[in-house]
Amino acid sequence: MSLERPMEDGDELLARLGSLTAQARELAELQRSRVELAVALQRGMLPRDLPTARRFHLAVRYAPAFHGLNVGGDWYDAFTMPDGRIGLSIGDVQGHNIEAAAFMGQVRVGLRALASVTSEPGELLSRTNDLLMSLGTDLFATCTFMRLDPCTGVLESARAGHVPHIWATADGQSGIAEDEGGPPLGIVEAVEYPVTRYRLTKGGVFVLLTDGVVEGPSLSVDDGLDHVVRLAGIAAVAGMEADALAGAVMKVAERVGHEDDAAVLVVGHDGLDGRPRGWRPRRSPRRAGGSGV
């Protein structure tokens, strides 16, 4: 009986396995390059510097996810607007690829550009939504936009399908914002986004975040939010700096085993303003503009 045929079959099998291994390696390297490109794209479009204001401090944390060799489209932004107030945005683009990262840049730049036309949060989100609808893309984004007046401590907030923010005051109160929101950006035409007003007083903090921080395989979004509420409450009572609180909140994302990008933006007030501690949110009418504080 000849043994040459089995040996030839074995050599052919090894050759095929070697070819498949090489192809798999090439695909893995290609995907890795795409991930690195998307991460570089994301980081290049995030702000390098944060605005400064007397009595107020901003702090951020950002961690891209690599689940499935993909990245998401989370972003944060903070900038000084023409009227001297500070614009704050945080959001999450649907999808986990280069297209999502690029779309994130479009949304962020669109918000900044339109803020030079109107800084009112509800109208700004409405205009941004109209802009995204005109692009004809299948992608959409959730977003929260806030306008901070550093002279009064008033924060005006509008939310487009995004996870709610967390608040805490120096007298031990804390919770999840219950402001009314609208649909994500880029889904429905001609949407009006309601505005809620707050006043941030001495020792108070606001924590804006994306769902990658509070939702993952080991923790539900509700439990994750409750955990951040406790952290923010402790931080406000203890007088913790905004940067330290942002770092502590980001550790929650590590704990939940997040499979998405994670972004945190903290606004803290540490100056004297002569006002009583605490604040009461008042929801504006459905039409953008709203009531006083």
Side-chain angles (χ1 to χ4, degrees), residues 218-278:
S218 61
L219 199 67
S220 69
V221 63
D222 291 336
D223 290 339
L225 286 171
D226 288 341
H227 193 68
V228 177
V229 168
R230 290 192 293 271
L231 277 176
I234 293 171
V237 172
M240 183 184 295
E241 294 183 355
D243 190 69
L245 175 57
V249 173
M250 184 54 78
K251 289 183 178 179
V252 176
E254 299 171 3
R255 194 171 304 169
V256 302
H258 66 101
E259 299 178 351
D260 198 357
D261 291 355
V264 177
L265 172 57
V266 175
V267 186
H269 187 324
D270 63 358
L272 296 173
D273 60 6
R275 297 185 180 88
R277 294 180 176 181

Short mmCIF file of all heavy atoms in Angstrom, two decimals, residues 218-278:
data_model
loop_
_atom_site.label_atom_id
_atom_site.label_comp_id
_atom_site.label_asym_id
_atom_site.label_seq_id
_atom_site.Cartn_x
_atom_site.Cartn_y
_atom_site.Cartn_z
N SER A 218 -22.40 43.85 33.28
CA SER A 218 -22.54 43.55 34.70
C SER A 218 -23.39 44.55 35.46
O SER A 218 -23.49 44.45 36.68
CB SER A 218 -21.14 43.49 35.34
OG SER A 218 -20.47 44.73 35.21
N LEU A 219 -24.01 45.52 34.76
CA LEU A 219 -24.79 46.54 35.48
C LEU A 219 -25.83 47.14 34.54
O LEU A 219 -25.52 47.48 33.40
CB LEU A 219 -23.86 47.63 36.01
CG LEU A 219 -24.39 48.53 37.13
CD1 LEU A 219 -24.58 47.70 38.41
CD2 LEU A 219 -23.41 49.67 37.39
N SER A 220 -27.06 47.29 35.04
CA SER A 220 -28.11 47.93 34.24
C SER A 220 -27.92 49.44 34.28
O SER A 220 -27.24 49.98 35.16
CB SER A 220 -29.48 47.57 34.80
OG SER A 220 -29.69 48.19 36.07
N VAL A 221 -28.53 50.14 33.33
CA VAL A 221 -28.37 51.59 33.26
C VAL A 221 -28.94 52.26 34.51
O VAL A 221 -28.38 53.24 35.01
CB VAL A 221 -29.02 52.14 31.97
CG1 VAL A 221 -30.52 51.88 31.96
CG2 VAL A 221 -28.72 53.63 31.82
N ASP A 222 -30.05 51.74 35.05
CA ASP A 222 -30.63 52.34 36.25
C ASP A 222 -29.70 52.19 37.45
O ASP A 222 -29.50 53.14 38.21
CB ASP A 222 -31.99 51.69 36.56
CG ASP A 222 -33.05 52.06 35.54
OD1 ASP A 222 -32.91 53.13 34.90
OD2 ASP A 222 -34.02 51.30 35.38
N ASP A 223 -29.14 50.99 37.61
CA ASP A 223 -28.21 50.78 38.72
C ASP A 223 -26.95 51.62 38.54
O ASP A 223 -26.39 52.16 39.50
CB ASP A 223 -27.83 49.30 38.82
CG ASP A 223 -28.99 48.44 39.30
OD1 ASP A 223 -29.93 48.99 39.93
OD2 ASP A 223 -28.97 47.22 39.06
N GLY A 224 -26.49 51.74 37.28
CA GLY A 224 -25.31 52.56 37.01
C GLY A 224 -25.55 54.02 37.34
O GLY A 224 -24.69 54.68 37.94
N LEU A 225 -26.71 54.54 36.96
CA LEU A 225 -27.04 55.93 37.27
C LEU A 225 -27.14 56.15 38.78
O LEU A 225 -26.66 57.17 39.31
CB LEU A 225 -28.36 56.32 36.59
CG LEU A 225 -28.30 56.55 35.08
CD1 LEU A 225 -29.71 56.70 34.51
CD2 LEU A 225 -27.48 57.79 34.75
N ASP A 226 -27.75 55.20 39.47
CA ASP A 226 -27.85 55.31 40.93
C ASP A 226 -26.47 55.36 41.58
O ASP A 226 -26.24 56.08 42.56
CB ASP A 226 -28.65 54.14 41.50
CG ASP A 226 -30.14 54.24 41.19
OD1 ASP A 226 -30.60 55.34 40.86
OD2 ASP A 226 -30.82 53.20 41.27
N HIS A 227 -25.54 54.59 41.02
CA HIS A 227 -24.19 54.58 41.56
C HIS A 227 -23.52 55.94 41.38
O HIS A 227 -22.84 56.45 42.27
CB HIS A 227 -23.36 53.49 40.88
CG HIS A 227 -22.07 53.20 41.56
ND1 HIS A 227 -21.98 52.61 42.81
CD2 HIS A 227 -20.78 53.43 41.18
CE1 HIS A 227 -20.71 52.49 43.16
NE2 HIS A 227 -19.96 52.98 42.19
N VAL A 228 -23.72 56.55 40.22
CA VAL A 228 -23.15 57.88 39.97
C VAL A 228 -23.81 58.92 40.86
O VAL A 228 -23.16 59.87 41.32
CB VAL A 228 -23.28 58.25 38.48
CG1 VAL A 228 -22.76 59.67 38.24
CG2 VAL A 228 -22.52 57.26 37.61
N VAL A 229 -25.10 58.78 41.11
CA VAL A 229 -25.80 59.69 42.03
C VAL A 229 -25.14 59.68 43.40
O VAL A 229 -24.89 60.73 44.01
CB VAL A 229 -27.29 59.33 42.14
CG1 VAL A 229 -27.94 60.08 43.30
CG2 VAL A 229 -28.02 59.66 40.84
N ARG A 230 -24.84 58.48 43.89
CA ARG A 230 -24.19 58.38 45.20
C ARG A 230 -22.80 59.01 45.18
O ARG A 230 -22.41 59.72 46.12
CB ARG A 230 -24.10 56.90 45.63
CG ARG A 230 -25.45 56.29 45.97
CD ARG A 230 -25.29 54.95 46.66
NE ARG A 230 -24.72 53.94 45.77
CZ ARG A 230 -25.45 53.16 44.99
NH1 ARG A 230 -26.77 53.28 44.96
NH2 ARG A 230 -24.86 52.25 44.21
N LEU A 231 -22.06 58.77 44.11
CA LEU A 231 -20.73 59.36 43.98
C LEU A 231 -20.80 60.89 43.97
O LEU A 231 -20.03 61.57 44.65
CB LEU A 231 -20.05 58.88 42.70
CG LEU A 231 -19.34 57.53 42.72
CD1 LEU A 231 -18.81 57.21 41.33
CD2 LEU A 231 -18.20 57.54 43.72
N ALA A 232 -21.73 61.42 43.17
CA ALA A 232 -21.86 62.87 43.06
C ALA A 232 -22.28 63.48 44.40
O ALA A 232 -21.79 64.55 44.79
CB ALA A 232 -22.87 63.23 41.98
N GLY A 233 -23.18 62.81 45.11
CA GLY A 233 -23.62 63.31 46.41
C GLY A 233 -22.47 63.36 47.41
O GLY A 233 -22.30 64.36 48.13
N ILE A 234 -21.67 62.31 47.45
CA ILE A 234 -20.51 62.27 48.34
C ILE A 234 -19.52 63.37 47.96
O ILE A 234 -18.97 64.07 48.81
CB ILE A 234 -19.85 60.89 48.30
CG1 ILE A 234 -20.79 59.83 48.89
CG2 ILE A 234 -18.53 60.90 49.05
CD1 ILE A 234 -20.30 58.40 48.68
N ALA A 235 -19.29 63.52 46.66
CA ALA A 235 -18.32 64.51 46.19
C ALA A 235 -18.74 65.92 46.55
O ALA A 235 -17.91 66.75 46.96
CB ALA A 235 -18.15 64.38 44.67
N ALA A 236 -20.02 66.24 46.39
CA ALA A 236 -20.50 67.58 46.68
C ALA A 236 -20.38 67.90 48.17
O ALA A 236 -19.95 68.99 48.55
CB ALA A 236 -21.94 67.74 46.22
N VAL A 237 -20.77 66.96 49.01
CA VAL A 237 -20.68 67.19 50.47
C VAL A 237 -19.23 67.31 50.92
O VAL A 237 -18.89 68.13 51.77
CB VAL A 237 -21.40 66.04 51.22
CG1 VAL A 237 -21.14 66.15 52.72
CG2 VAL A 237 -22.89 66.06 50.94
N ALA A 238 -18.36 66.49 50.33
CA ALA A 238 -16.95 66.48 50.73
C ALA A 238 -16.14 67.60 50.08
O ALA A 238 -14.97 67.79 50.41
CB ALA A 238 -16.33 65.14 50.38
N GLY A 239 -16.74 68.33 49.14
CA GLY A 239 -16.01 69.39 48.45
C GLY A 239 -14.97 68.86 47.48
O GLY A 239 -13.95 69.50 47.24
N MET A 240 -15.22 67.69 46.89
CA MET A 240 -14.28 67.08 45.96
C MET A 240 -14.18 67.92 44.69
O MET A 240 -15.17 68.46 44.20
CB MET A 240 -14.74 65.66 45.61
CG MET A 240 -13.80 64.89 44.71
SD MET A 240 -14.46 63.26 44.24
CE MET A 240 -14.50 62.45 45.85
N GLU A 241 -12.99 68.05 44.15
CA GLU A 241 -12.79 68.80 42.92
C GLU A 241 -13.45 68.09 41.74
O GLU A 241 -13.60 66.86 41.73
CB GLU A 241 -11.30 68.99 42.65
CG GLU A 241 -10.60 69.88 43.68
CD GLU A 241 -9.14 70.10 43.31
OE1 GLU A 241 -8.67 69.47 42.33
OE2 GLU A 241 -8.48 70.88 44.01
N ALA A 242 -13.80 68.89 40.73
CA ALA A 242 -14.49 68.33 39.56
C ALA A 242 -13.65 67.26 38.87
O ALA A 242 -14.18 66.24 38.43
CB ALA A 242 -14.82 69.46 38.58
N ASP A 243 -12.34 67.47 38.80
CA ASP A 243 -11.49 66.50 38.12
C ASP A 243 -11.47 65.16 38.85
O ASP A 243 -11.49 64.10 38.22
CB ASP A 243 -10.06 67.06 38.02
CG ASP A 243 -9.19 66.21 37.12
OD1 ASP A 243 -9.42 66.21 35.89
OD2 ASP A 243 -8.28 65.54 37.64
N ALA A 244 -11.43 65.21 40.17
CA ALA A 244 -11.44 63.98 40.96
C ALA A 244 -12.76 63.24 40.79
O ALA A 244 -12.79 62.01 40.70
CB ALA A 244 -11.17 64.29 42.43
N LEU A 245 -13.86 63.99 40.77
CA LEU A 245 -15.16 63.35 40.58
C LEU A 245 -15.26 62.72 39.19
O LEU A 245 -15.77 61.61 39.05
CB LEU A 245 -16.28 64.38 40.77
CG LEU A 245 -17.70 63.89 40.49
CD1 LEU A 245 -18.05 62.68 41.34
CD2 LEU A 245 -18.70 65.02 40.71
N ALA A 246 -14.76 63.41 38.16
CA ALA A 246 -14.79 62.84 36.81
C ALA A 246 -14.03 61.53 36.76
O ALA A 246 -14.47 60.55 36.14
CB ALA A 246 -14.20 63.84 35.81
N GLY A 247 -12.88 61.48 37.44
CA GLY A 247 -12.11 60.24 37.48
C GLY A 247 -12.84 59.13 38.20
O GLY A 247 -12.81 57.97 37.77
N ALA A 248 -13.51 59.46 39.30
CA ALA A 248 -14.26 58.46 40.06
C ALA A 248 -15.43 57.92 39.25
O ALA A 248 -15.72 56.72 39.27
CB ALA A 248 -14.76 59.07 41.37
N VAL A 249 -16.11 58.80 38.50
CA VAL A 249 -17.24 58.36 37.68
C VAL A 249 -16.75 57.44 36.56
O VAL A 249 -17.39 56.44 36.24
CB VAL A 249 -18.00 59.57 37.10
CG1 VAL A 249 -19.06 59.11 36.09
CG2 VAL A 249 -18.66 60.37 38.23
N MET A 250 -15.61 57.76 35.97
CA MET A 250 -15.11 56.92 34.89
C MET A 250 -14.76 55.51 35.39
O MET A 250 -14.85 54.54 34.63
CB MET A 250 -13.88 57.56 34.25
CG MET A 250 -13.33 56.80 33.05
SD MET A 250 -14.57 56.47 31.75
CE MET A 250 -14.66 58.09 30.96
N LYS A 251 -14.41 55.39 36.64
CA LYS A 251 -14.14 54.06 37.20
C LYS A 251 -15.41 53.21 37.23
O LYS A 251 -15.33 51.98 37.24
CB LYS A 251 -13.55 54.19 38.60
CG LYS A 251 -12.11 54.71 38.59
CD LYS A 251 -11.54 54.75 40.00
CE LYS A 251 -10.09 55.25 39.97
NZ LYS A 251 -9.50 55.33 41.33
N VAL A 252 -16.58 53.86 37.25
CA VAL A 252 -17.84 53.11 37.18
C VAL A 252 -17.91 52.38 35.84
O VAL A 252 -18.34 51.22 35.76
CB VAL A 252 -19.04 54.05 37.34
CG1 VAL A 252 -20.35 53.29 37.16
CG2 VAL A 252 -19.01 54.73 38.70
N ALA A 253 -17.45 53.05 34.77
CA ALA A 253 -17.46 52.42 33.44
C ALA A 253 -16.58 51.18 33.42
O ALA A 253 -16.91 50.17 32.81
CB ALA A 253 -16.99 53.43 32.39
N GLU A 254 -15.44 51.26 34.10
CA GLU A 254 -14.55 50.10 34.17
C GLU A 254 -15.21 48.96 34.94
O GLU A 254 -15.04 47.78 34.60
CB GLU A 254 -13.25 50.50 34.85
CG GLU A 254 -12.48 51.60 34.11
CD GLU A 254 -11.31 52.12 34.92
OE1 GLU A 254 -11.07 51.59 36.03
OE2 GLU A 254 -10.63 53.06 34.46
N ARG A 255 -16.00 49.32 35.93
CA ARG A 255 -16.65 48.32 36.76
C ARG A 255 -17.80 47.62 36.03
O ARG A 255 -18.05 46.43 36.26
CB ARG A 255 -17.15 48.98 38.04
CG ARG A 255 -17.56 48.03 39.14
CD ARG A 255 -17.82 48.81 40.42
NE ARG A 255 -16.66 49.61 40.80
CZ ARG A 255 -16.69 50.54 41.75
NH1 ARG A 255 -17.81 50.79 42.39
NH2 ARG A 255 -15.59 51.22 42.04
N VAL A 256 -18.52 48.34 35.17
CA VAL A 256 -19.66 47.73 34.50
C VAL A 256 -19.24 46.93 33.28
O VAL A 256 -20.06 46.25 32.66
CB VAL A 256 -20.69 48.81 34.05
CG1 VAL A 256 -21.17 49.62 35.23
CG2 VAL A 256 -20.12 49.71 32.96
N GLY A 257 -17.95 46.97 32.92
CA GLY A 257 -17.48 46.23 31.76
C GLY A 257 -18.06 46.77 30.48
O GLY A 257 -18.60 46.04 29.65
N HIS A 258 -17.96 48.09 30.31
CA HIS A 258 -18.62 48.75 29.19
C HIS A 258 -18.12 48.23 27.84
O HIS A 258 -16.95 47.96 27.65
CB HIS A 258 -18.41 50.27 29.27
CG HIS A 258 -16.99 50.72 29.08
ND1 HIS A 258 -16.55 51.24 27.89
CD2 HIS A 258 -15.93 50.73 29.91
CE1 HIS A 258 -15.27 51.55 28.00
NE2 HIS A 258 -14.87 51.25 29.22
N GLU A 259 -19.06 48.10 26.91
CA GLU A 259 -18.75 47.65 25.55
C GLU A 259 -18.89 48.80 24.57
O GLU A 259 -18.89 48.61 23.36
CB GLU A 259 -19.68 46.50 25.17
CG GLU A 259 -19.53 45.28 26.07
CD GLU A 259 -20.49 44.17 25.71
OE1 GLU A 259 -21.38 44.41 24.88
OE2 GLU A 259 -20.35 43.06 26.25
N ASP A 260 -19.02 50.00 25.08
CA ASP A 260 -19.22 51.18 24.26
C ASP A 260 -18.22 52.23 24.71
O ASP A 260 -17.57 52.10 25.75
CB ASP A 260 -20.65 51.69 24.44
CG ASP A 260 -21.07 52.64 23.33
OD1 ASP A 260 -20.24 52.95 22.46
OD2 ASP A 260 -22.24 53.08 23.34
N ASP A 261 -18.11 53.32 23.94
CA ASP A 261 -17.31 54.44 24.39
C ASP A 261 -17.88 54.95 25.71
O ASP A 261 -19.05 54.74 26.03
CB ASP A 261 -17.36 55.59 23.38
CG ASP A 261 -16.62 55.26 22.10
OD1 ASP A 261 -16.00 54.20 22.04
OD2 ASP A 261 -16.68 56.08 21.17
N ALA A 262 -17.05 55.63 26.47
CA ALA A 262 -17.50 56.21 27.74
C ALA A 262 -16.96 57.63 27.84
O ALA A 262 -15.77 57.86 27.69
CB ALA A 262 -17.00 55.37 28.92
N ALA A 263 -17.85 58.58 28.08
CA ALA A 263 -17.46 59.99 28.21
C ALA A 263 -18.13 60.60 29.43
O ALA A 263 -19.30 60.32 29.72
CB ALA A 263 -17.83 60.76 26.95
N VAL A 264 -17.39 61.42 30.14
CA VAL A 264 -17.89 62.10 31.34
C VAL A 264 -17.52 63.57 31.26
O VAL A 264 -16.39 63.92 30.91
CB VAL A 264 -17.28 61.49 32.63
CG1 VAL A 264 -17.76 62.25 33.86
CG2 VAL A 264 -17.62 60.02 32.75
N LEU A 265 -18.47 64.44 31.58
CA LEU A 265 -18.24 65.88 31.65
C LEU A 265 -18.84 66.39 32.95
O LEU A 265 -20.04 66.26 33.18
CB LEU A 265 -18.88 66.59 30.45
CG LEU A 265 -18.90 68.12 30.44
CD1 LEU A 265 -17.50 68.70 30.56
CD2 LEU A 265 -19.59 68.63 29.17
N VAL A 266 -17.99 66.94 33.82
CA VAL A 266 -18.42 67.41 35.13
C VAL A 266 -18.33 68.93 35.19
O VAL A 266 -17.32 69.51 34.76
CB VAL A 266 -17.57 66.79 36.26
CG1 VAL A 266 -17.95 67.39 37.61
CG2 VAL A 266 -17.75 65.27 36.29
N VAL A 267 -19.37 69.55 35.72
CA VAL A 267 -19.37 71.00 35.97
C VAL A 267 -19.50 71.19 37.48
O VAL A 267 -20.45 70.70 38.09
CB VAL A 267 -20.55 71.70 35.27
CG1 VAL A 267 -20.44 73.21 35.43
CG2 VAL A 267 -20.63 71.30 33.81
N GLY A 268 -18.55 71.88 38.07
CA GLY A 268 -18.58 72.11 39.51
C GLY A 268 -18.48 73.59 39.84
O GLY A 268 -17.84 74.36 39.14
N HIS A 269 -19.15 73.98 40.92
CA HIS A 269 -19.14 75.37 41.40
C HIS A 269 -18.46 75.38 42.76
O HIS A 269 -18.90 74.75 43.70
CB HIS A 269 -20.58 75.87 41.53
CG HIS A 269 -20.70 77.33 41.86
ND1 HIS A 269 -19.84 77.99 42.69
CD2 HIS A 269 -21.61 78.26 41.46
CE1 HIS A 269 -20.19 79.26 42.80
NE2 HIS A 269 -21.27 79.44 42.06
N ASP A 270 -17.37 76.13 42.89
CA ASP A 270 -16.66 76.16 44.16
C ASP A 270 -16.44 77.57 44.68
O ASP A 270 -15.64 77.79 45.59
CB ASP A 270 -15.31 75.45 44.04
CG ASP A 270 -14.38 76.17 43.06
OD1 ASP A 270 -14.80 77.18 42.45
OD2 ASP A 270 -13.24 75.72 42.90
N GLY A 271 -17.16 78.55 44.14
CA GLY A 271 -16.95 79.93 44.57
C GLY A 271 -18.11 80.49 45.37
O GLY A 271 -19.21 79.94 45.39
N LEU A 272 -17.87 81.58 46.06
CA LEU A 272 -18.90 82.24 46.85
C LEU A 272 -19.74 83.12 45.95
O LEU A 272 -19.23 83.91 45.16
CB LEU A 272 -18.26 83.08 47.95
CG LEU A 272 -17.46 82.31 49.01
CD1 LEU A 272 -16.75 83.29 49.93
CD2 LEU A 272 -18.38 81.41 49.82
N ASP A 273 -21.05 83.01 46.08
CA ASP A 273 -21.91 83.89 45.29
C ASP A 273 -23.03 84.51 46.12
O ASP A 273 -23.89 85.20 45.59
CB ASP A 273 -22.51 83.13 44.10
CG ASP A 273 -23.36 81.94 44.53
OD1 ASP A 273 -23.58 81.74 45.74
OD2 ASP A 273 -23.80 81.21 43.64
N GLY A 274 -23.06 84.23 47.42
CA GLY A 274 -24.03 84.89 48.28
C GLY A 274 -25.43 84.32 48.20
O GLY A 274 -26.34 84.83 48.83
N ARG A 275 -25.64 83.26 47.42
CA ARG A 275 -26.97 82.69 47.28
C ARG A 275 -27.11 81.47 48.19
O ARG A 275 -26.14 80.84 48.54
CB ARG A 275 -27.22 82.25 45.83
CG ARG A 275 -27.20 83.41 44.85
CD ARG A 275 -27.59 82.90 43.46
NE ARG A 275 -27.58 83.98 42.50
CZ ARG A 275 -26.52 84.38 41.82
NH1 ARG A 275 -25.37 83.77 42.01
NH2 ARG A 275 -26.59 85.37 40.95
N PRO A 276 -28.33 81.13 48.56
CA PRO A 276 -28.51 79.92 49.36
C PRO A 276 -28.13 78.69 48.57
O PRO A 276 -28.20 78.68 47.33
CB PRO A 276 -30.02 79.94 49.66
CG PRO A 276 -30.61 80.75 48.57
CD PRO A 276 -29.59 81.81 48.25
N ARG A 277 -27.72 77.67 49.26
CA ARG A 277 -27.35 76.43 48.60
C ARG A 277 -28.59 75.74 48.04
O ARG A 277 -29.69 75.89 48.54
CB ARG A 277 -26.63 75.50 49.57
CG ARG A 277 -25.28 76.04 50.02
CD ARG A 277 -24.63 75.08 50.98
NE ARG A 277 -23.29 75.53 51.36
CZ ARG A 277 -22.50 74.87 52.17
NH1 ARG A 277 -22.90 73.73 52.70
NH2 ARG A 277 -21.31 75.34 52.46
N GLY A 278 -28.32 74.92 47.01
CA GLY A 278 -29.41 74.15 46.43
C GLY A 278 -30.06 74.91 45.28
O GLY A 278 -29.83 76.10 45.08
#
